């Protein structure tokens, strides 16, 4: 591994969407807006704000319009909305998000369970979504691939599955893709191998990694991603999120844990850890339970390493 | 990073010593013996059984003699005892441990706080301990370096401090050394840099890493250690241990989390994860609190990835 690279690493905080959607208590719109505004002021470059998923499927995000309208959009920060289908796309158009995130499962059974569609039906629908984005001001799109590192129904996932969906996104003109470890079964070698292959197949695509820390491997998987040349990662403040398919499992990798590691390694990421930890403190009050973040619990290394300085 | 190496990676479980010593409830000798015997049957190659630290300093380990006498010593497994000083060495001689672990802080203030000695006084004392080991059947010695990646009193640690203590151990004839992240402040780049330098300075020394997961970085630090050529790691079943200097901090990296990652990456380590998880289950009853182990909580990836197989 090249331990001395000087590239910028970009983090998208997905806490307001992927984190909050798992919370059983409904969080008020104002609290969501506060959280997103506070995140905007940490120096972060991208936030996944909400989703236009059907309100019956995810009641927590039913206030998507209101949240998008009320937040202060800070210049330089990209505000993304997860758009699950054509109907969601039509709902998303007036929101004027900086980016739409599409999501396709790379396995048939997860696609059927999650979206009630086959992979090919999902692709067909997303082609229509991509056309809607194009027609409405050429909204940027990121194509996410769920269950890329393991499927709760099919087990190990052949690389061909990932390639198939990536090729479909590519054909829609999408040049930004996220590879997701939906149930937290990836390991560093698998991450490295998959990302290296994808980068070789699509040298003009910017790849992100979306990793869950279910088995404690997310930070090591990020390191493997960096080694494979990935420079963009999803993370969620406080490590909240969880996974409906893995009882007792932890959620997204915590943004503050990722930033903390990058800071220690001298990797430029633009985020102020102190602001992030203050925002995590507010998040803890809002969700009213412990956060799954090592650095939030123990404090950053530098607070310990500069005790007498 | 070379993701395809085929070397064997060795784990020493330090739960019975570094883990249990932080437990506030005294664990019975029989429970300790059961734990060590169960660990012996997981395929692990080394266990740190106990310490001859003064019983007043660590009452939990005051039954060191009895534990060492009662355990079943499985051929092929190395049973180590932490020997803190000359008096502890004399106590350790009749125990017939396979290995003595010595420990020196690499910073003056931690040495004074932990051992009530300057670094040089500690070295002098350990020279006498090394001679005792030589005289009594040439007992194997591993020299550990505490606070190598950060000191609770002095902050960042210059590499020269580590080099100074490593040189002292080397002069005593010691060719096995452990570098310890006592307060969990190491990061992957620091681990890689320090271990690469040490290996260059002492090409004939076998280096281990002893890492705490206080800030969620231990698994990534192990990966960095592997990249630097380290093939031996300490870990504690259930991730128990904690650190008296970091309130709320987590303990040693969990053995099951390390083995789980190595297994997924196809790195041979000889340990049966299933046996380890069963032993962790017993440990949880014994210590009567939750374990700090992601894989214990969520189950291994392969249990998820082979759902339908």
């Amino acid at each position: 591994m090249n331990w001395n690279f000087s590239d910028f690493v970009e983090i998208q905080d997905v806490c307001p969407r992927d984190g909050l959607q798992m919370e059983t208590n409904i969080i008020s719109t104002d609290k969501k807006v506060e959280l997103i505004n506070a995140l905007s002021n940490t120096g972060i470059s991208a936030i996944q704000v909400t989703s236009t998923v059907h309100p019956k499927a995810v009641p927590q995000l039913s206030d998507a319009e209101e949240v998008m309208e009320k937040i202060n959009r800070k210049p330089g920060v990209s505000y993304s909305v997860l758009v699950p289908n054509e109907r969601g796309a039509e709902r998303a158009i007036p929101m004027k998000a900086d980016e739409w995130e599409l999501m396709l499962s790379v396995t048939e059974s997860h696609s059927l369970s999650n979206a009630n569609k086959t992979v090919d039906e999902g692709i067909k629908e997303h082609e229509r979504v991509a056309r809607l984005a194009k027609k409405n001001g050429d909204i940027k799109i990121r194509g996410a691939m769920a269950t890329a590192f393991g499927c709760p129904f099919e087990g190990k996932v052949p690389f061909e599955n990932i390639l198939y969906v990536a090729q479909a996104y590519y054909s829609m003109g999408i040049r930004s893709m996220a590879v997701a470890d939906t149930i937290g079964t990836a390991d560093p070698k698998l991450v490295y191998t998959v990302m290296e292959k994808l980068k070789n197949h699509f040298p003009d695509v910017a790849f992100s990694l979306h990793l869950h820390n279910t088995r404690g491997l997310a930070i090591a998987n990020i390191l493997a991603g960096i080694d494979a040349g990935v420079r963009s990662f999803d993370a969620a403040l406080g490590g909240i999120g969880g996974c409906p398919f893995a009882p007792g499992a932890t959620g997204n990798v915590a943004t503050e844990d990722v930033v903390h590691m990058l800071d220690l390694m001298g990797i430029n990421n633009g985020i102020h850890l102190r602001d992030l930890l203050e925002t995590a403190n507010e998040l803890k009050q809002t969700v009213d339970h412990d956060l799954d973040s090592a650095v939030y619990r123990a404090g950053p290394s530098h607070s310990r390493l500069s005790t007498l300085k």
Side-chain angles (χ1 to χ4, degrees), chain A:
Chain A
M1 174 147 183
N2 168 21
W3 295 96
N4 288 307
F5 81 99
S6 57
D7 293 2
F8 188 89
V9 164
E10 188 183 87
I11 311 288
Q12 168 171 254
D13 195 292
V14 298
C15 173
R17 199 277 304 170
D18 200 21
L20 293 188
Q21 77 176 9
M22 288 298 297
E23 293 297 319
T24 41
N25 296 327
I26 296 291
I27 313 292
S28 75
T29 304
D30 285 349
K31 282 286 170 199
K32 290 174 189 163
V33 171
E34 265 176 43
L35 167 68
I36 294 156
N37 287 347
L39 280 171
S40 294
N41 287 321
T42 61
I44 207 160
S45 45
I47 301 170
Q48 194 160 98
V49 174
T50 187
S51 167
T52 54
V53 62
H54 197 287
K56 272 190 191 149
V58 185
Q60 184 69 268
L61 302 183
S62 61
D63 57 356
E65 282 81 0
E66 217 182 330
V67 172
M68 280 299 284
E69 206 185 290
K70 285 192 169 172
I71 52 170
N72 296 325
R73 301 238 201 145
K74 194 168 175 167
V77 180
S78 169
Y79 298 89
S80 156
V81 170
L82 179 75
V83 173
N85 48 34
E86 204 176 354
R87 190 173 168 171
E90 275 154 6
R91 217 183 122 196
I93 292 166
M95 294 182 186
K96 308 265 179 225
D98 297 300
E99 184 172 87
W100 286 1
E101 172 136 333
L102 313 193
M103 195 186 289
L104 287 165
S105 303
V106 305
T107 56
E108 208 61 35
S109 43
H110 186 262
S111 182
L112 286 165
S113 148
N114 196 53
N116 200 25
K117 288 183 188 77
T118 66
V119 171
D120 280 335
E121 287 166 356
I123 290 172
K124 285 267 166 293
E125 174 132 24
H126 279 12
E127 284 167 354
R128 296 192 292 274
V129 172
R131 279 195 293 270
L132 275 175
K134 191 93 193 154
K135 247 196 337 206
N136 288 276
D138 201 10
I139 300 160
K140 270 182 69 184
I141 291 185
R142 190 173 85 153
M145 293 173 265
T147 63
F149 298 107
C151 168
F153 310 110
E154 298 181 31
K156 287 193 182 186
V157 173
F159 179 71
E160 290 63 36
N161 288 36
I162 306 174
L163 195 58
Y164 184 80
V165 174
Q167 187 60 60
Y169 277 141
Y170 195 88
S171 301
M172 299 175 206
I174 295 171
R175 296 294 178 268
S176 168
M177 300 184 199
V179 190
D181 184 20
T182 309
I183 56 166
T185 51
D187 69 83
K189 188 176 175 179
L190 183 64
V191 168
Y192 181 86
T193 310
V194 165
M195 298 317 292
E196 198 193 28
K197 280 191 197 167
L198 278 174
K199 284 174 64 81
N200 285 340
H201 271 92
F202 306 99
D204 59 336
V205 169
F207 284 103
S208 288
L209 278 162
H210 176 100
L211 300 164
H212 283 245
N213 198 31
T214 319
R215 288 162 187 88
L217 287 171
I219 292 277
N221 288 340
I222 286 175
L223 209 56
I226 289 175
D227 197 29
V230 179
R231 296 291 178 263
S232 167
F233 299 91
D234 282 0
L237 192 70
I240 67 170
C243 170
F245 297 109
T250 56
N252 290 277
V253 62
T255 309
E256 55 273 39
D257 288 358
V258 180
V259 170
H260 176 253
M261 176 178 77
L262 296 176
D263 282 355
L264 288 177
M265 294 175 70
I267 298 175
N268 197 5
N269 59 83
I271 303 172
H272 307 290
L273 184 59
R274 189 169 301 201
D275 296 340
L276 215 49
L277 290 171
E278 275 171 24
T279 310
N281 212 27
E282 287 160 32
L283 176 66
K284 187 173 184 277
Q285 317 302 320
T286 301
V287 296
D288 198 25
H289 59 70
D290 279 344
L291 304 181
D292 198 1
S293 151
V295 175
Y296 179 78
R297 275 195 302 269
S301 288
H302 61 71
S303 71
R304 181 57 59 183
L305 293 180
S306 55
T307 314
L308 295 187
K309 280 161 197 178

